[in-house]
Amino acid sequence: MLRCDLHVHTNFSFDSSATMEEYAARAVELGLQAVCFTDHIDINPRRDTFRDFPFDRRIRCFERVKSLFGDKVLLLQGYEMGEPHLHPKETAFLRSLHPDMIIGSVHDPEVLDGISDRREYERAYDRVVRDMVRDGDFDVLGHADGLRKWHDDYREDLPFLCDTLALCASRGIVPEINTSSMRRAGTPPMPGLDAIARYISAGGKYVCVNSDAHTVRQLYEFPDIAAQLPRGARQCLFVQGRLLESM
Ligand SMILES: [Zn+2]
Ligand SMILES: [Zn+2]
């Protein structure tokens, strides 16, 4: 079992004030093997964090923290890109910076604007996730059924989700098991382990188990999930874009 957390937001994300240094110290405390900082890049009418993103300053900060903690924990850096298939130019730019990995996530794309019916919105969201997996350039699928994170009454279309996960398997994209939904008691991770089991039977092999931490306390918050993976599921990480099963 890998002890790592590959979806972590720092104060380079609009919605976190935790520093890389604080996370690195906590990772050492927890005995983690690897942590990947994946700050938000989102481009939509409500938010554009790409245009003024301090790419150079972030890399300098990362290198400094690596020089302090790099001998105790493998520190990695990447991005969580919102809807990369809708922003191919900006995604290619991110690739040109040689991140360890890119997470592709559906957050708040313009195409969902104006859909007021909840069920209709959910199915439209699912379709954007599927299109992103089909057309996007990224390594890890972030919170595949992410609406569950924000809406208690979200109703899953499990067969559709499983088709999307099977598409991940055929494109070499690794779905994460995002445990941030579990902060609400009784809510399973995203996606649930039943969907992951079906992904494995559809030919999938790899998963990442990620906290989607926005505070230091949330780092590697639900370690039990990694011990409960369905038979055949293998954890992995990405180093300079290359998938590794162990370190
Ligand atoms: Zn966030
Ligand atoms: Zn996200």
Side-chain angles (χ1 to χ4, degrees):
M1 194 179 105
L2 282 175
R3 283 175 66 83
C4 54
D5 193 342
L6 308 176
H7 186 159
V8 175
H9 294 277
T10 76
N11 55 0
F12 287 94
S13 291
F14 68 92
D15 54 0
S16 172
S17 56
T19 67
M20 288 185 187
E21 195 165 340
E22 289 166 336
Y23 278 121
R26 177 69 178 145
V28 172
E29 209 173 272
L30 290 169
L32 298 194
Q33 294 167 286
V35 168
C36 187
F37 301 117
T38 51
D39 287 303
H40 282 297
I41 302 288
D42 279 303
I43 304 165
N44 60 53
R46 284 158 294 282
R47 178 175 299 128
D48 182 342
T49 67
F50 178 80
R51 204 180 36 215
D52 298 318
F53 194 90
F55 291 102
D56 290 342
R57 188 158 58 79
R58 180 174 181 267
I59 287 293
R60 282 199 305 275
C61 175
F62 175 72
E63 292 300 337
R64 186 180 60 80
V65 174
K66 216 163 74 167
S67 73
L68 295 172
F69 294 92
D71 57 337
K72 300 186 194 74
V73 55
L74 177 63
L75 296 176
L76 304 165
Q77 57 83 27
Y79 301 93
E80 182 185 18
M81 176 76 184
E83 305 90 34
H85 64 305
L86 302 178
H87 311 287
K89 240 178 39 208
E90 291 83 356
T91 306
F93 174 78
L94 294 184
R95 280 284 186 218
S96 76
L97 302 174
H98 304 293
D100 288 296
M101 64 180 229
I102 295 176
I103 298 175
S105 294
V106 177
H107 288 140
D108 196 14
E110 206 173 351
V111 290
L112 299 181
D113 286 2
I115 306 177
S116 54
D117 179 80
R118 170 55 65 78
R119 302 300 159 222
E120 211 181 297
Y121 183 88
E122 290 171 353
R123 301 297 74 87
Y125 180 96
D126 293 346
R127 284 195 297 275
V128 180
V129 176
R130 193 252 340 257
D131 294 351
M132 178 179 79
V133 169
R134 190 186 56 210
D135 302 329
D137 173 21
F138 57 99
D139 307 297
V140 171
L141 169 60
H143 46 70
D145 46 356
L147 287 182
R148 203 131 56 68
K149 182 165 163 162
W150 301 293
H151 302 289
D152 270 324
D153 59 344
Y154 173 64
R155 271 197 244 143
E156 189 120 79
D157 181 343
L158 191 61
F160 193 95
L161 172 65
C162 291
D163 284 351
T164 299
L165 295 176
L167 189 56
C168 282
S170 70
R171 285 213 63 210
I173 290 170
V174 174
E176 74 170 1
I177 300 171
N178 184 306
T179 62
S180 65
S181 49
M182 296 171 69
R183 288 173 208 144
R184 223 177 30 225
T187 309
M190 304 175 292
L193 296 181
D194 48 343
I196 291 294
R198 288 167 69 163
Y199 154 76
I200 300 296
S201 21
K205 188 169 174 189
Y206 296 108
V207 295
C208 299
V209 179
N210 294 334
S211 72
D212 199 348
H214 287 67
T215 67
V216 174
R217 191 183 53 79
Q218 292 169 347
L219 184 71
Y220 199 64
E221 200 178 11
F222 296 99
D224 290 354
I225 289 296
Q228 291 167 17
L229 294 182
R231 207 186 163 77
R234 308 178 74 113
Q235 273 181 276
C236 70
L237 71 162
F238 287 84
V239 177
Q240 288 170 8
R242 278 191 35 233
L243 184 151
L244 300 180
E245 276 191 58
S246 59
M247 12 179 329

